[in-house]
Amino acid sequence: MGCCNRRCGLLAGAVFGAALAILGGILIPVGDQIIQSTVEKEAVIVPGTTAYENWISSAAFVYRQMWLFDVQNALDVVELGATPIVKERGPYTYKVRYLAKSNITAHNDAVSFLLPNGAIFEPDMSVGSEDDLVTTLNLAVAYNGTFDGYYTVNTGQDDISRVAMIERWQGESKLSFWNDTYCDTLNGTDASSFPPFVDKNKPIYFFSSDICRSVSSTFRETQDLWGIEVYRYVLPPSTFASPSINPDNKCFCTEKLVSRNCSMAGVLDVGPCRGGAPVYISLPHFLHGSDYLRQDVLGLNPSEENHFTYLDIEPITGFTLSFAKRLQVNMMYGPSKVISVLKHVKEYTVFPIVWLNESLSCRILPASTIANMASVEEMILLCVIRNRQKKGAKSVGLCGGGM
């Protein structure tokens, strides 16, 4: 008798499901081996791999939002030496990192490249225009037509645990800004990806040319991104802590006056890598900074939720699927008998110019981009299997749809 009615169909489905359940205990270990082998093959940065195609030029856009600090009492600051009061203006949003890597040169188990800088203003994503007038200190910034690098990174061919690790920057295997072996170490990747099979019990490391140093990031929590389990890593408060709190930062303190004998927290003097210019980097609104930084400039309101930096990493492949890099650029000004506009200034002040949020979230990728990511699916199959085990038959797929 044929099995045509609904009841018989359900029975057949139940029998088939039972068979799959029995086989599952056998197939999952085999699947683990297949996925590990696939990841180790596809995560290598050589032509023809998934990693290489995404490494040359990402299909996703990165956006840089900028909030400028507008001085509300400029005349009082100049004429009376009053404490500056600032108001945040923005965001002014730019599309960045849309240019492919250039001058790619392979050698042995490494590859070198330049990272072109470019910025396209996005008026629909901005509050205000590029013609807005803002009162602040003058900070000349060149972006379009410039490059970051050369970078030389490990391809992972000989050792997958070294893939994407930076071996040289601007032709050198270490930095030369800090006159210290520890602080001048090039450590980690550029944060766009990490070696596969990430261990959340260990910190990850990456180098940022914006701040001229390597930093560590620690696991905070597991997040769900399109139904994919990702590890959220954050910059710990100790990153810009004073040497009294984090002794490892002692070598990043290169002057005693502005830093109050290296007791200032939350700010990094990047003058040594900016031609001696009085430029300082911090988290937005001096998050985790010394209280007096926000007393010397009024109108700042740090928020852990809005101003912290994070990376969301798919742990099997090591790919960064979402991130928000949030930094603030500051300048120092102080008493001067030569510069007339500073003759009434009483104290050295680290003054905020702009804070930036450079971010990517795969949740906002267009459908056409997601449709082209099928080759990544096999690399995160284990993650999908894990979600299926947790959620049962209603497990979500790679891009949030049902399976």
Side-chain angles (χ1 to χ4, degrees), residues 187-251:
N187 195 7
T189 74
D190 66 358
S192 61
S193 67
F194 296 87
F197 313 112
V198 177
D199 183 352
K200 64 183 177 183
N201 296 313
K202 297 179 180 179
I204 59 173
Y205 297 88
F206 60 92
F207 168 71
S208 173
S209 62
D210 291 334
I211 61 175
C212 312
R213 60 166 288 190
S214 301
V215 297
S216 66
S217 189
T218 55
F219 174 80
R220 172 179 285 182
E221 61 187 355
T222 298
Q223 293 270 326
D224 186 283
L225 188 64
W226 325 323
I228 297 173
E229 182 180 280
V230 295
Y231 290 172
R232 171 156 291 185
Y233 282 80
V234 299
L235 287 185
S238 61
T239 302
F240 295 136
S242 69
S244 62
I245 301 298
N246 182 4
D248 288 340
N249 283 343
K250 183 178 180 180
C251 45

Side-chain angles (χ1 to χ4, degrees), residues 127-172:
V127 178
S129 75
E130 291 184 298
D131 296 325
D132 288 350
L133 297 178
V134 177
T135 303
T136 187
L137 295 179
N138 184 32
L139 177 65
V141 177
Y143 202 74
N144 282 324
T146 62
F147 293 85
D148 183 16
Y150 277 90
Y151 284 89
T152 301
V153 302
N154 196 293
T155 63
Q157 276 186 295
D158 293 339
D159 182 357
I160 195 63
S161 69
R162 295 286 303 165
V163 67
M165 293 289 188
I166 297 173
E167 297 188 346
R168 292 180 178 272
W169 182 68
Q170 295 187 343
E172 302 295 333

Side-chain angles (χ1 to χ4, degrees), residues 43 45 50-58 60 62 97 101 113 115 151 153-154 163-166 187-196 198 204-208 310-314 317-325 358 360 362:
I45 305 176
T50 300
Y52 187 82
E53 299 306 316
N54 286 278
W55 175 80
I56 289 180
S57 180
S58 173
V62 175
R97 299 202 200 179
K101 294 177 174 66
F113 61 93
L115 193 61
Y151 284 89
V153 302
N154 196 293
V163 67
M165 293 289 188
I166 297 173
N187 195 7
T189 74
D190 66 358
S192 61
S193 67
F194 296 87
V198 177
I204 59 173
Y205 297 88
F206 60 92
F207 168 71
S208 173
Y310 69 84
L311 304 95
D312 290 338
I313 302 170
E314 198 289 306
T317 63
F319 292 167
T320 300
L321 299 187
S322 175
F323 69 84
K325 181 175 71 173
E358 189 172 292
L360 161 73
C362 293

Side-chain angles (χ1 to χ4, degrees), residues 234-297:
V234 299
L235 287 185
S238 61
T239 302
F240 295 136
S242 69
S244 62
I245 301 298
N246 182 4
D248 288 340
N249 283 343
K250 183 178 180 180
C251 45
F252 292 116
C253 181
T254 59
E255 61 79 40
K256 307 294 183 182
L257 184 60
V258 178
S259 69
R260 304 192 183 187
N261 199 30
C262 296
S263 66
M264 182 169 60
V267 174
L268 174 67
D269 175 11
V270 294
C273 63
R274 295 290 183 264
V279 179
Y280 293 74
I281 297 295
S282 69
L283 297 181
H285 290 245
F286 296 124
L287 178 67
H288 304 314
S290 298
D291 290 340
Y292 63 78
L293 291 168
R294 292 181 295 277
Q295 295 167 358
D296 291 346
V297 179

